[in-house]
Structure formats: structure tokens, C-alpha cells
Amino acid sequence: MRKNVTGAVLQLALLVIGIPVVYLLAFPFGLTARSLLPPLGLLAGLVVAGVMVKRTEQPVSGPLTGWLVFGVCLALAALL
């Protein structure tokens, strides 16, 4: 039960933190490849987290993987 709550909190935190970060990083630049990476990363992170939660026995691993995907997309956007 505790792992389920932790996983749900991490998933919610990905949304609560990810959406403002996407607005701050992506939309001031207009539609470019760089500006599309953060929103696509957030979407991919949420999808990957949902798939991982359903396929594994550890509900925390899904949201952590979603955070990893989102972070990688943010890093790529910063590098570009």
C-alpha cells in the first residue's frame, strides 16, 4: 500500500512540476524542435510511467522511469 501511494505521489509530482517547466522552457521559443522536446518528454514520461506501473510489481519504478524520460528530454532541449 505504501509503495502505491509513493508511486502515485511521484506521478502527480511529474504533472505538477512538469507542466510549468514545459510552459517556461518550450513556449517562449515558438514551435521548434527544441521547444517540442519538453512537452513530448512530459507526455512520454507519463505514458512510460503508466505502462511500467501496469507491467511491474513495483509501483514506484514506473514514475521514476517517467521522471528519467522527462529529465532526458529536458537535457536534450538544453543541449540543443
Side-chain angles (χ1 to χ4, degrees):
M1 176 69 178
R2 188 172 210 172
K3 287 184 179 181
N4 288 337
V5 172
T6 304
V9 168
L10 285 171
Q11 186 84 2
L12 181 63
L14 182 59
L15 274 176
V16 170
I17 294 170
I19 290 173
V21 168
V22 164
Y23 274 104
L24 287 173
L25 293 179
F27 292 110
F29 298 106
L31 284 177
T32 63
R34 177 182 178 193
S35 70
L36 289 175
L37 276 172
L40 290 177
L42 180 61
L43 181 62
L46 291 170
V47 169
V48 166
V51 169
M52 292 284 295
V53 164
K54 289 182 180 181
R55 292 187 179 217
T56 65
E57 295 293 322
Q58 297 183 359
V60 176
S61 66
L64 288 178
T65 307
W67 272 101
L68 180 66
V69 170
F70 183 52
V72 167
C73 288
L74 288 179
L76 283 173
L79 287 174
L80 293 176

